Amino acid sequence: MTNENEELLPEELAPEESAYETDYTTGQDNIEFLGLDIHNPVFFASAALILSFAGSVLLFPDSAGGVLTDARDWTLLHFDWFFVLATNIIFLFCLFLGFSPLGKIRLGGPEARPEFGTLSWLSMLFSAGVGIGMVFYGAAEPAAYYTDWFGTPLDVAPRTPEAERLALSATIFHWGVTPWAVYAVIGLALAFFTFNKGLPLTIRSAFYPLLGERVWGWPGHIIDLVAVVATIFGLATSLGLGAKQAASGLDFLFGVGSGLTTQIILIMGITAMAIFSVVRGLDQGVRILSNINVLIAIALLIFVIIAGPTLAIIKGYGANTLAYVTDSVRLSNWIGREDTEWFHGWTIFYWAWWISWSPFVGMFIARVSRGRTIREFLLAVLAVPVVVAVIWFTSFGATAIDQVKSGVGELPNGVTDVSLVLFQMLENLPLAELSSFVAILLLIVFFVTSSDSGSLVIDSITAGGKLHAPTPQRIFWATMEGLIAIVLLVGGGSAALSSLQAGAITTGLPFTLVLLVCCVSLYRGLKEETAG
C-alpha cells in the first residue's frame, strides 16, 4: 500500500556482508489492524500513553501543569551541569569521528550513492531541524537579550555595546553547533546501523552493539516508546504554539483576530497540507516542500539585508563569528554564574529541548542521508548550520537591535510579545505588508514540513522500523498531531500546551544519558566495521 511516488529504500540496497547475525527480521512483531501495519506493543503503548497524558492535561490543566512545570524547573535547576557537560562531550565525539579514519566510512556501504542532491538534502535537514525556530526567534531572541526582556547573557548591562555583542553571540551559540551535534549523533548512529548493518530504522537499533538481541525485547520497546512520546508531544506543542504566532501575525497584518477560531483553522490547514505531503512521500512531498521553504527563506533574508542596516549587517558576519567562538566558553560554563535565571531559562532550556527533539530530527536526518560518508555527513550537519545561523541571526538580529537603538517603531519600548517581534521589525522596513505576508507563509510551510517529516519518523518507529508502512498509518500520525494540538488549545489554551512543553523538556534528562550511551554504541559499531 505504499505510494508509487515515494522514494523508499529498495531491498536490493540493503547491506550484504556487513549485516549483524541476528534472527530478528524487520516487522516480525507487527500486526495488521484496520489497514495499518503496526509494531506490537510499541504502537499501542505509545498511543495509550499519548491519549491518557493529553487527557490528564486536558481534564486537570492546573494540577498537571503544576506537576510538569515543577518537574521541568527541578530538572533545569539540578542538572544544568549535566546538560552542558553531555552536549560538550557529544560535540567533541563528533569532531573525533570527523577527523579520524572512521570518517571515511560511507553510509550504506562503499558502493552507495546519495539518494538526494546536496541542495535538497541540506534543505530537508534545515526544514526538519531548526528552520521554524530560526524564523520565530531570528529577530526576537537578539532583541530580547539586548533589552533585558528576560535577563541578559552573563548579566551584562542591557542596551550597551557589550549587550549587543553578547545578544548576537549568545543567540548563535544556542542555534549553532551544539544542537546539531546532538542531532548528528543520533542521526549518524541510526543511518549506520540501518544502511550498513541492515537493522530496522528505529531508535533501538542504535544500541544493538551494547544490548545485543535484548534490543528486540522490552529494553528496546522502552527506548522506542520514549522517542515516540517525546516526538509527538514536541510536534503537537510546536504546532499549537506556532498556530498562535501565525494567528498573531495575521491579526497584526490583516486584523482578522488571533483568537481560538483562527488558531484552529490554521492547525487544520497545516495538518491537511502535512497529510497531503506525507502521503506523497519523501521525494514528491517533503523534498519539494523543503526546497520551497529554503527559497522563501533566502528571499526574505535578502530583503532584510537590503532593506535593513546593510553595512552593519555585513560587518556583523565576521564580528559575530569571532564573538561566537570566543564567548562560547563563557556561555558554556555553569560554575559561579551570576545570570542563573537567564542561564536556566534560555541555555539549559534550549539544551533540554534539543535533546528531547533529537529522536525525531536525528531519525529524519538518518532517513535522507544514505550514500554520504561520515565525514561529509558531519561537515554538513555541524559546519553548515553554524554558517547559516551567523548569517540569519546577524541579519534579523542586527536589524531589530538597530531599530531599538534608533527609537524606531515598537521595539524600543521593549519586547512584550516574542511572537510579534518579527512583524514589528518588518513593519518599519519597506514593503512591510508584503514581507510580513511572506514571513507568515514561511512559518506555515515550515510547520508543514516539520509535521510531515515528524509523521514519517513516528510511522517508522511504530511500524517496527519498516520504511514501507501503509499510507493510512502516515495519515493517522499526522492527524494525531493536529488533533492533540486542537484539543489542548480548546480545553486548556496556552497553559495546556506549556504543560506539554514542560513534559517534553523533562524527558530530555533521561534521553541525555541515552545519547551518551549511543556514542559508545556507535563507536563500537564503527570499529567493528573497520575491523571486519
Side-chain angles (χ1 to χ4, degrees):
M1 294 182 67
T2 55
N3 185 283
E4 62 181 2
N5 293 321
E6 184 173 7
E7 180 152 353
L8 294 170
L9 182 67
E11 294 301 325
E12 62 268 19
L13 294 181
E16 298 175 357
E17 297 180 358
S18 60
Y20 284 124
E21 294 183 2
T22 174
D23 294 332
Y24 185 85
T25 58
T26 302
Q28 74 173 36
D29 295 326
N30 288 16
I31 60 175
E32 295 185 3
F33 177 73
L34 297 179
L36 307 179
D37 186 4
I38 53 183
H39 184 277
N40 181 36
V42 172
F43 179 92
F44 296 106
S46 58
L49 273 176
I50 289 166
L51 292 175
S52 60
F53 193 74
S56 299
V57 173
L58 182 63
L59 295 174
F60 311 103
D62 293 335
S63 299
V67 171
L68 293 173
T69 301
D70 289 344
R72 179 201 63 193
D73 293 342
W74 179 84
T75 299
L76 296 179
L77 178 62
H78 294 285
F79 289 93
D80 53 357
W81 62 273
F82 183 58
F83 283 116
V84 173
L85 191 60
T87 51
N88 289 338
I89 291 173
I90 291 170
F91 169 62
L92 293 174
F93 176 70
C94 289
L95 285 183
F96 164 74
L97 289 183
F99 286 104
S100 75
L102 298 174
K104 297 178 181 179
I105 296 175
R106 186 174 295 276
L107 300 174
E111 303 303 320
R113 291 296 176 263
E115 297 179 69
F116 304 98
T118 301
L119 291 179
S120 292
W121 179 49
L122 293 175
S123 298
M124 287 189 285
L125 298 187
F126 276 95
S127 296
V130 298
I132 183 61
M134 292 179 70
V135 176
F136 188 99
Y137 286 107
E141 192 169 338
Y145 296 165
Y146 180 70
T147 58
D148 191 16
W149 176 66
F150 185 70
T152 60
L154 303 177
D155 207 25
V156 67
R159 301 182 187 240
T160 61
E162 178 71 1
E164 181 177 359
R165 184 177 72 85
L166 274 168
L168 290 164
S169 65
T171 301
I172 297 169
F173 173 68
H174 289 152
W175 295 84
V177 72
T178 301
W180 285 95
V182 171
Y183 297 157
V185 163
I186 194 72
L188 183 57
L190 291 172
F192 173 74
F193 288 113
T194 297
F195 299 132
N196 293 67
K197 296 299 183 181
L199 299 182
L201 182 59
T202 182
I203 304 296
R204 71 177 74 196
S205 294
F207 300 89
Y208 187 88
L210 299 179
L211 294 177
E213 291 298 304
R214 288 174 297 171
V215 81
W216 313 124
W218 274 105
H221 297 339
I222 293 173
I223 291 172
D224 281 350
L225 186 60
V226 171
V228 171
V229 172
T231 299
I232 194 73
F233 283 152
L235 288 171
T237 303
S238 295
L239 183 59
L241 295 176
K244 292 174 71 67
Q245 187 205 16
S248 297
L250 289 173
D251 182 54
F252 184 81
L253 190 59
F254 301 114
V256 297
S258 59
L260 188 61
T261 301
T262 304
Q263 295 170 29
I264 291 176
I265 292 174
L266 279 169
I267 292 175
M268 292 174 64
I270 290 171
T271 302
M273 288 187 285
I275 290 173
F276 177 76
S277 175
V278 82
V279 167
R280 290 177 63 83
L282 273 177
D283 191 48
Q284 297 298 318
V286 178
R287 181 183 63 84
I288 293 175
L289 275 180
S290 297
N291 290 340
I292 293 173
N293 271 341
V294 171
L295 290 176
I296 298 175
I298 290 174
L300 184 61
L301 174 66
I302 293 174
F303 168 77
V304 170
I305 294 173
I306 295 174
T310 307
L311 186 59
I313 291 173
I314 294 175
K315 287 183 177 179
Y317 294 147
N320 292 332
T321 301
L322 181 60
Y324 165 58
V325 174
T326 57
D327 290 338
S328 290
V329 176
R330 292 193 297 163
L331 292 169
S332 295
N333 177 41
W334 67 89
I335 301 172
R337 295 285 291 254
E338 296 181 358
D339 59 338
T340 302
E341 184 178 11
W342 180 90
F343 181 55
H344 287 164
W346 288 100
T347 301
I348 304 304
F349 175 85
Y350 267 132
W351 286 184
W353 184 246
W354 300 138
I355 290 169
S356 69
W357 266 58
S358 62
F360 151 49
V361 181
M363 192 167 177
F364 182 76
I365 291 174
R367 179 64 187 85
V368 300
S369 297
R370 185 186 180 279
R372 309 284 174 177
T373 66
I374 289 178
R375 187 168 292 123
E376 182 184 7
F377 176 95
L378 291 173
L379 180 64
V381 177
L382 294 181
V384 175
V386 173
V387 175
V388 173
V390 168
I391 295 173
W392 185 270
F393 287 108
T394 296
S395 302
F396 284 79
T399 302
I401 290 176
D402 181 72
Q403 292 182 7
V404 174
K405 293 161 61 178
S406 303
V408 176
E410 294 292 328
L411 293 182
N413 300 323
V415 176
T416 55
D417 186 348
V418 173
S419 65
L420 285 177
V421 172
L422 174 62
F423 305 108
Q424 290 171 338
M425 183 202 78
L426 293 174
E427 184 182 28
N428 300 300
L429 300 179
L431 303 174
E433 291 187 355
L434 177 60
S435 61
S436 295
F437 178 77
V438 170
I440 294 172
L441 178 63
L442 183 60
L443 283 167
I444 291 175
V445 180
F446 263 127
F447 276 121
V448 173
T449 51
S450 292
S451 179
D452 60 12
S453 55
S455 299
L456 286 172
V457 166
I458 297 173
D459 179 41
S460 180
I461 298 175
T462 56
K466 279 191 173 183
L467 299 177
H468 301 266
T471 298
Q473 204 154 315
R474 288 175 253 152
I475 296 174
F476 172 82
W477 286 114
T479 304
M480 281 286 286
E481 294 166 24
L483 284 177
I484 290 173
I486 290 174
V487 168
L488 292 174
L489 273 176
V490 172
S494 298
L497 290 174
S498 296
S499 297
L500 276 189
Q501 187 182 48
I505 293 299
T506 306
T507 62
L509 179 59
F511 211 82
T512 303
L513 183 60
V514 170
L515 284 173
L516 292 174
V517 176
C518 182
C519 292
V520 178
S521 183
L522 174 59
Y523 178 73
R524 180 176 293 185
L526 292 174
K527 291 295 289 183
E528 291 173 354
E529 179 85 351
T530 56

